[in-house]
């Protein structure tokens, strides 16, 4: 096992009726920016619950944060916060709203061009405090310090991490997710699955606890994913999904073990170029990364096939079955697994030069460069 330190400062408040806890959690005296997306929270009652809990507070609203949040939109909020002296940010929505608010938190006190936080990994020295009410289980953003922001002008989608942008608290009320459309529910299952895999599907690292925690998350997603689509108002299913997605990317299962993240790196390019949903990009790319890296990942693929899917056979047979079973699972959820199915076949030629320009290398062995990415994209083109 590799050395590690672990500190996760998020106060997680989980369960029915917990939005009312905002009264206690949002600090008194600060001007609050209440940021949300395109209006789903107005249709499902979440907006009203938030307003009721914040009654009597000095609240400014910022609406219209889009999926794959745009830098241009975030900067409007940054201006507003600077002008109005906002002291606390509240994100209410899915991963996109949370990520946007993390970037806004870091950008408000930033000296210079805030895009450098993403493009040049400029150090975040200060950030406004933030909290969240999550309405879409998928990204883990509610319990991590990551954020992914897109810029129209340059068609880039870039990530940053800072310990200063962990939410102070995150409220997870599973009832807020009853209104998720099937596509977003399925995307969320695929995203949480992929997060687990990015921290698991590498090579054996003598970390049996991390392995088994990851396998528990995968088994749970396989068990509840299809049921969620059939029973969108089942509280227990929604609750289990919410907790599972958080556990997939709050740092715990990745401690001391090698991590991959090639699927996410390639996937962000597909969203930037073709507007594919984040979950869709992962369903396409992940099986292709495994096919391309079959020899390196064979031992873990076979372990996963045996323990999670109950497959028997030789190592080779189990490893192959692992890839097929995973693809079948994504397709069962209604998420397609080929570039051509999204009209994105051109990625084979368009993505590698973009990565070359940025000097990107991916994978647990840092041996996936632009040429290898081209091969991976060929494997999932049609
Ligand atoms: O904007 P509104 O109207 O709220 O609608 C949203 C949006 O259209 C809707 N939605 C959210 N909650 C709903 C709901 N509709 C009905 N009922 C509800 N309860 O769902 C749509 C998608 O929302 P979005 O926030 O974009 O989805 P998701 O949570 O999947 O977030 C995706 C973003 O997170 C990034 C992705 O790259 C992408 O930009 N990621 C962030 C990560 C992190 N911070 O750690 C890690 C991930 O790997 C990922 O990269
Ligand atoms: Zn993801």
């Amino acid at each position: 096992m590799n050395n590690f330190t672990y500190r996760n400062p998020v106060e997680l408040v989980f369960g029915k009726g917990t939005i009312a806890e905002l009264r206690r959690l949002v600090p008194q005296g600060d001007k609050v920016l209440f940021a949300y997306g395109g209006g789903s929270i107005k249709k499902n009652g979440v907006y009203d619950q938030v307003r009721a809990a914040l009654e009597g507070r000095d609240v400014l609203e910022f609406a219209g944060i889009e999926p794959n949040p745009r830098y241009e939109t975030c900067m409007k909020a940054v201006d507003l916060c600077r002008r109005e002296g906002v002291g606390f940010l509240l994100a209410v929505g899915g991963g996109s709203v949370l990520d946007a608010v993390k970037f806004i938190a870091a950008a408000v006190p930033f000296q210079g061009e805030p895009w450098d936080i993403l493009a040049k990994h400029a150090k975040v020295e200060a950030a406004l405090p933030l909290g969240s009410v999550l309405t879409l289980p998928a990204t883990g953003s509610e319990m991590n310090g990551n954020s992914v922001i897109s810029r129209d002008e340059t068609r880039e989608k870039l990530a940053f991490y800072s310990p200063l942008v962990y939410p102070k608290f995150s409220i997870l009320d599973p009832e807020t997710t009853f209104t998720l459309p099937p596509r977003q529910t399925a995307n969320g299952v695929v995203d949480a699955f992929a997060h687990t895999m990015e921290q698991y599907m590498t090579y054996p690292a003598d970390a049996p606890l991390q392995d088994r925690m990851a396998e528990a998350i995968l088994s749970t997603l396989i068990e509840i994913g299809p049921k969620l689509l059939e029973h969108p108002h089942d509280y227990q299913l929604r609750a289990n999904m919410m907790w599972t997605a958080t556990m997939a990317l709050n740092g715990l299962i990745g401690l001391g073990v090698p991590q991959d993240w090639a699927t996410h790196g390639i996937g962000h390019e597909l969203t930037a170029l073709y507007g594919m949903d984040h979950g869709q990009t992962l369903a396409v790319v992940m099986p292709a990364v495994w096919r391309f890296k079959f020899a390196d990942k064979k031992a873990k693929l076979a372990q996963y096939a045996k323990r999670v899917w109950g497959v028997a056979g030789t190592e080779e047979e189990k490893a192959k079955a692992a890839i097929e079973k995973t693809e079948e699972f994504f397709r069962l959820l209604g998420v397609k697994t080929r570039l051509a199915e999204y009209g994105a076949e051109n990625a084979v030629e368009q993505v590698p030069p973009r990565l070359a320009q940025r000097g990107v290398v991916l994978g647990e062995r840092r041996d996936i460069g632009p040429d290898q990415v081209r091969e991976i994209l060929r494997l999932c083109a049609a």
Side-chain angles (χ1 to χ4, degrees), residues 37-40 44 65 67-69 94-97 99 102 135-136 138-141 144 146-148 157 176-177 179-181 184 191 195 249 264 268 278:
S40 70
N44 61 12
I65 295 171
N68 308 306
S96 292
V97 176
D99 283 11
K102 289 174 176 179
T135 66
L136 196 175
T139 61
S141 193
N144 68 40
N146 304 327
S147 160
V148 193
K157 184 175 187 194
T176 66
T177 69
T179 51
L180 280 170
Q184 298 304 340
D191 197 17
H195 294 157
L249 197 54
H264 272 71
H268 290 338
H278 177 61

Side-chain angles (χ1 to χ4, degrees), residues 77-260:
V78 170
D79 287 343
L80 182 66
C81 290
R82 287 177 177 161
R83 216 167 45 234
E84 299 285 340
V86 165
F88 190 85
L89 305 175
L90 179 65
V92 183
S96 292
V97 176
L98 271 66
D99 283 11
V101 163
K102 289 174 176 179
F103 178 70
I104 295 161
V108 169
F110 191 78
Q111 309 279 330
E113 168 54 72
W115 184 246
D116 290 351
I117 296 170
L118 294 147
K120 298 185 182 163
H121 303 294
K123 190 156 192 256
V124 174
E125 308 274 6
L128 288 181
L130 64 110
S132 85
V133 176
L134 183 72
T135 66
L136 196 175
T139 61
S141 193
E142 65 278 10
M143 205 175 174
N144 68 40
N146 304 327
S147 160
V148 193
I149 303 294
S150 299
R151 189 168 189 173
D152 276 359
E153 208 185 316
T154 50
R155 291 176 96 188
E156 284 168 296
K157 184 175 187 194
L158 302 175
F160 83 100
Y161 165 84
S162 166
L164 299 181
V165 300
Y166 279 84
K168 299 286 172 215
F169 62 80
S170 285
I171 294 180
L172 275 56
D173 179 344
E175 285 188 328
T176 66
T177 69
F178 284 178
T179 51
L180 280 170
R183 169 168 151 192
Q184 298 304 340
T185 299
N187 281 342
V189 174
V190 173
D191 197 17
F193 199 90
H195 294 157
T196 310
M197 285 299 188
E198 299 277 26
Q199 303 165 84
Y200 169 88
M201 193 50 75
T202 55
Y203 49 84
D206 271 331
L209 177 63
Q210 290 89 323
D211 274 6
R212 287 196 170 85
M213 287 197 298
E215 288 153 3
I217 293 173
L218 299 170
S219 299
T220 305
L221 291 170
I222 290 164
E223 186 179 315
I224 67 178
K227 292 185 192 161
L228 277 165
L229 294 171
E230 267 175 58
H231 309 286
H233 291 267
D234 183 316
Y235 180 82
Q236 297 305 340
L237 287 173
R238 290 292 192 187
N240 282 305
M241 179 59 203
M242 224 168 185
W243 179 225
T244 305
T246 300
M247 283 298 290
L249 197 54
N250 63 5
L252 210 49
I253 63 170
L255 298 174
V257 298
Q259 301 194 15
D260 182 341

